[in-house]
Amino acid sequence: MTLTKSKALGAAVSTTLGLTLLGGCGGTDAAAVPDGWGTLDTRSVSVGYPADEGYAPQPSAERGKANAAVALKREGGLRTGMVSVQLDFATGVGDAGEAAAAAGAGIGLGATRKDTRDVRLAGEESARDARRIDYEFTSTGEESTPAKGTRMTGVVVAGVDSGDVPFAIRINAVKGTLSPSDLDSFVESITVK
């Protein structure tokens, strides 16, 4: 190999390596969303939902003002599952712990917390820290929810995006319809911006 070819090869390798390293900088990799799932995308976060299991986005005109995005599962006219994204839901929140405390207050009386732990989300490196709260509660039977007394599973993931906007992603479903690995898949599908 001649010196000119060697320099050209070295430059090409250096360029390729540099582009590979640049692609990994900043920690903005998106989360993996399982096959058959859709994505709720907001200005602060995105999260997957199992479209192949009957979850579908709720039109903005039908969802509450507090929700930036919602996917619902309806069966027999009842809302048996929900994924919701709330943004900027509390003031004075500066980190994942404070966001989780504010979001946890919205879990409600009668809920039983099962676990609370720190998680790392995909996305913007400066905003990947979040807190996950697993809980159970009893359906009230109101607003097209399952019959009063039905046990429900819930998970809330809360944090602060790269622009210091607090977010809370809630997953609620009839107990037993989502396995622990299903709930983990929801959490692992979150990308924070």
Side-chain angles (χ1 to χ4, degrees), residues 24-41:
C25 288
T28 57
D29 294 335
V33 177
D35 289 338
W37 284 38
T39 303
L40 296 175
D41 193 26

PDB file of all heavy atoms in Angstrom, residues 24-41:
ATOM      1  N   GLY A  24     -23.346   9.089  19.067  1.00  0.00           N
ATOM      2  CA  GLY A  24     -23.614   8.619  20.419  1.00  0.00           C
ATOM      3  C   GLY A  24     -23.581   9.720  21.453  1.00  0.00           C
ATOM      4  O   GLY A  24     -23.940   9.509  22.597  1.00  0.00           O
ATOM      5  N   CYS A  25     -23.120  10.903  21.102  1.00  0.00           N
ATOM      6  CA  CYS A  25     -23.021  11.993  22.069  1.00  0.00           C
ATOM      7  C   CYS A  25     -24.390  12.555  22.396  1.00  0.00           C
ATOM      8  O   CYS A  25     -25.288  12.553  21.585  1.00  0.00           O
ATOM      9  CB  CYS A  25     -22.146  13.116  21.512  1.00  0.00           C
ATOM     10  SG  CYS A  25     -20.409  12.672  21.467  1.00  0.00           S
ATOM     11  N   GLY A  26     -24.516  13.088  23.598  1.00  0.00           N
ATOM     12  CA  GLY A  26     -25.740  13.770  23.984  1.00  0.00           C
ATOM     13  C   GLY A  26     -26.792  12.862  24.567  1.00  0.00           C
ATOM     14  O   GLY A  26     -27.732  13.323  25.163  1.00  0.00           O
ATOM     15  N   GLY A  27     -26.661  11.566  24.406  1.00  0.00           N
ATOM     16  CA  GLY A  27     -27.606  10.641  25.020  1.00  0.00           C
ATOM     17  C   GLY A  27     -29.027  10.827  24.531  1.00  0.00           C
ATOM     18  O   GLY A  27     -29.955  10.740  25.311  1.00  0.00           O
ATOM     19  N   THR A  28     -29.209  11.087  23.258  1.00  0.00           N
ATOM     20  CA  THR A  28     -30.559  11.331  22.763  1.00  0.00           C
ATOM     21  C   THR A  28     -31.131  10.127  22.021  1.00  0.00           C
ATOM     22  O   THR A  28     -31.998  10.280  21.175  1.00  0.00           O
ATOM     23  CB  THR A  28     -30.588  12.576  21.852  1.00  0.00           C
ATOM     24  OG1 THR A  28     -29.657  12.369  20.785  1.00  0.00           O
ATOM     25  CG2 THR A  28     -30.232  13.827  22.615  1.00  0.00           C
ATOM     26  N   ASP A  29     -30.645   8.944  22.318  1.00  0.00           N
ATOM     27  CA  ASP A  29     -31.185   7.744  21.680  1.00  0.00           C
ATOM     28  C   ASP A  29     -32.637   7.560  22.083  1.00  0.00           C
ATOM     29  O   ASP A  29     -33.014   7.747  23.230  1.00  0.00           O
ATOM     30  CB  ASP A  29     -30.386   6.507  22.095  1.00  0.00           C
ATOM     31  CG  ASP A  29     -28.951   6.538  21.569  1.00  0.00           C
ATOM     32  OD1 ASP A  29     -28.720   7.216  20.552  1.00  0.00           O
ATOM     33  OD2 ASP A  29     -28.078   5.901  22.180  1.00  0.00           O
ATOM     34  N   ALA A  30     -33.445   7.174  21.101  1.00  0.00           N
ATOM     35  CA  ALA A  30     -34.861   6.933  21.368  1.00  0.00           C
ATOM     36  C   ALA A  30     -35.051   5.536  21.949  1.00  0.00           C
ATOM     37  O   ALA A  30     -34.287   4.620  21.669  1.00  0.00           O
ATOM     38  CB  ALA A  30     -35.665   7.075  20.080  1.00  0.00           C
ATOM     39  N   ALA A  31     -36.069   5.394  22.754  1.00  0.00           N
ATOM     40  CA  ALA A  31     -36.394   4.100  23.354  1.00  0.00           C
ATOM     41  C   ALA A  31     -36.916   3.149  22.285  1.00  0.00           C
ATOM     42  O   ALA A  31     -37.478   3.571  21.279  1.00  0.00           O
ATOM     43  CB  ALA A  31     -37.443   4.282  24.445  1.00  0.00           C
ATOM     44  N   ALA A  32     -36.758   1.869  22.551  1.00  0.00           N
ATOM     45  CA  ALA A  32     -37.310   0.848  21.657  1.00  0.00           C
ATOM     46  C   ALA A  32     -38.790   0.669  21.960  1.00  0.00           C
ATOM     47  O   ALA A  32     -39.170   0.480  23.117  1.00  0.00           O
ATOM     48  CB  ALA A  32     -36.566  -0.464  21.853  1.00  0.00           C
ATOM     49  N   VAL A  33     -39.603   0.761  20.947  1.00  0.00           N
ATOM     50  CA  VAL A  33     -41.038   0.540  21.080  1.00  0.00           C
ATOM     51  C   VAL A  33     -41.335  -0.826  20.463  1.00  0.00           C
ATOM     52  O   VAL A  33     -40.978  -1.071  19.315  1.00  0.00           O
ATOM     53  CB  VAL A  33     -41.843   1.661  20.381  1.00  0.00           C
ATOM     54  CG1 VAL A  33     -43.330   1.390  20.449  1.00  0.00           C
ATOM     55  CG2 VAL A  33     -41.516   3.013  21.014  1.00  0.00           C
ATOM     56  N   PRO A  34     -41.951  -1.736  21.210  1.00  0.00           N
ATOM     57  CA  PRO A  34     -42.197  -3.090  20.688  1.00  0.00           C
ATOM     58  C   PRO A  34     -43.010  -3.096  19.397  1.00  0.00           C
ATOM     59  O   PRO A  34     -43.803  -2.191  19.138  1.00  0.00           O
ATOM     60  CB  PRO A  34     -42.987  -3.759  21.827  1.00  0.00           C
ATOM     61  CG  PRO A  34     -42.608  -3.005  23.054  1.00  0.00           C
ATOM     62  CD  PRO A  34     -42.413  -1.586  22.594  1.00  0.00           C
ATOM     63  N   ASP A  35     -42.795  -4.133  18.595  1.00  0.00           N
ATOM     64  CA  ASP A  35     -43.577  -4.319  17.372  1.00  0.00           C
ATOM     65  C   ASP A  35     -45.060  -4.370  17.709  1.00  0.00           C
ATOM     66  O   ASP A  35     -45.458  -4.968  18.713  1.00  0.00           O
ATOM     67  CB  ASP A  35     -43.183  -5.623  16.669  1.00  0.00           C
ATOM     68  CG  ASP A  35     -41.801  -5.552  16.040  1.00  0.00           C
ATOM     69  OD1 ASP A  35     -41.325  -4.433  15.765  1.00  0.00           O
ATOM     70  OD2 ASP A  35     -41.205  -6.628  15.819  1.00  0.00           O
ATOM     71  N   GLY A  36     -45.892  -3.745  16.876  1.00  0.00           N
ATOM     72  CA  GLY A  36     -47.333  -3.740  17.079  1.00  0.00           C
ATOM     73  C   GLY A  36     -47.808  -2.627  17.996  1.00  0.00           C
ATOM     74  O   GLY A  36     -49.003  -2.505  18.242  1.00  0.00           O
ATOM     75  N   TRP A  37     -46.874  -1.821  18.510  1.00  0.00           N
ATOM     76  CA  TRP A  37     -47.231  -0.722  19.402  1.00  0.00           C
ATOM     77  C   TRP A  37     -47.264   0.585  18.629  1.00  0.00           C
ATOM     78  O   TRP A  37     -46.565   0.776  17.646  1.00  0.00           O
ATOM     79  CB  TRP A  37     -46.209  -0.605  20.531  1.00  0.00           C
ATOM     80  CG  TRP A  37     -46.341  -1.641  21.609  1.00  0.00           C
ATOM     81  CD1 TRP A  37     -46.663  -2.960  21.455  1.00  0.00           C
ATOM     82  CD2 TRP A  37     -46.139  -1.437  22.999  1.00  0.00           C
ATOM     83  NE1 TRP A  37     -46.669  -3.583  22.672  1.00  0.00           N
ATOM     84  CE2 TRP A  37     -46.347  -2.678  23.634  1.00  0.00           C
ATOM     85  CE3 TRP A  37     -45.800  -0.334  23.773  1.00  0.00           C
ATOM     86  CZ2 TRP A  37     -46.232  -2.836  25.013  1.00  0.00           C
ATOM     87  CZ3 TRP A  37     -45.673  -0.493  25.136  1.00  0.00           C
ATOM     88  CH2 TRP A  37     -45.897  -1.737  25.751  1.00  0.00           C
ATOM     89  N   GLY A  38     -48.076   1.520  19.121  1.00  0.00           N
ATOM     90  CA  GLY A  38     -48.090   2.882  18.627  1.00  0.00           C
ATOM     91  C   GLY A  38     -47.301   3.753  19.600  1.00  0.00           C
ATOM     92  O   GLY A  38     -46.797   3.266  20.614  1.00  0.00           O
ATOM     93  N   THR A  39     -47.225   5.046  19.308  1.00  0.00           N
ATOM     94  CA  THR A  39     -46.485   5.972  20.168  1.00  0.00           C
ATOM     95  C   THR A  39     -47.284   7.237  20.404  1.00  0.00           C
ATOM     96  O   THR A  39     -47.822   7.820  19.458  1.00  0.00           O
ATOM     97  CB  THR A  39     -45.134   6.349  19.522  1.00  0.00           C
ATOM     98  OG1 THR A  39     -44.384   5.161  19.272  1.00  0.00           O
ATOM     99  CG2 THR A  39     -44.323   7.259  20.433  1.00  0.00           C
ATOM    100  N   LEU A  40     -47.382   7.632  21.665  1.00  0.00           N
ATOM    101  CA  LEU A  40     -47.913   8.953  22.027  1.00  0.00           C
ATOM    102  C   LEU A  40     -46.716   9.887  22.070  1.00  0.00           C
ATOM    103  O   LEU A  40     -45.760   9.644  22.820  1.00  0.00           O
ATOM    104  CB  LEU A  40     -48.595   8.907  23.398  1.00  0.00           C
ATOM    105  CG  LEU A  40     -49.835   8.036  23.527  1.00  0.00           C
ATOM    106  CD1 LEU A  40     -50.308   8.012  24.988  1.00  0.00           C
ATOM    107  CD2 LEU A  40     -50.948   8.521  22.618  1.00  0.00           C
ATOM    108  N   ASP A  41     -46.741  10.947  21.277  1.00  0.00           N
ATOM    109  CA  ASP A  41     -45.597  11.845  21.167  1.00  0.00           C
ATOM    110  C   ASP A  41     -46.007  13.247  21.611  1.00  0.00           C
ATOM    111  O   ASP A  41     -46.948  13.817  21.053  1.00  0.00           O
ATOM    112  CB  ASP A  41     -45.089  11.849  19.728  1.00  0.00           C
ATOM    113  CG  ASP A  41     -43.740  12.506  19.583  1.00  0.00           C
ATOM    114  OD1 ASP A  41     -42.969  12.531  20.562  1.00  0.00           O
ATOM    115  OD2 ASP A  41     -43.447  13.005  18.483  1.00  0.00           O
TER     116      ASP A  41
END
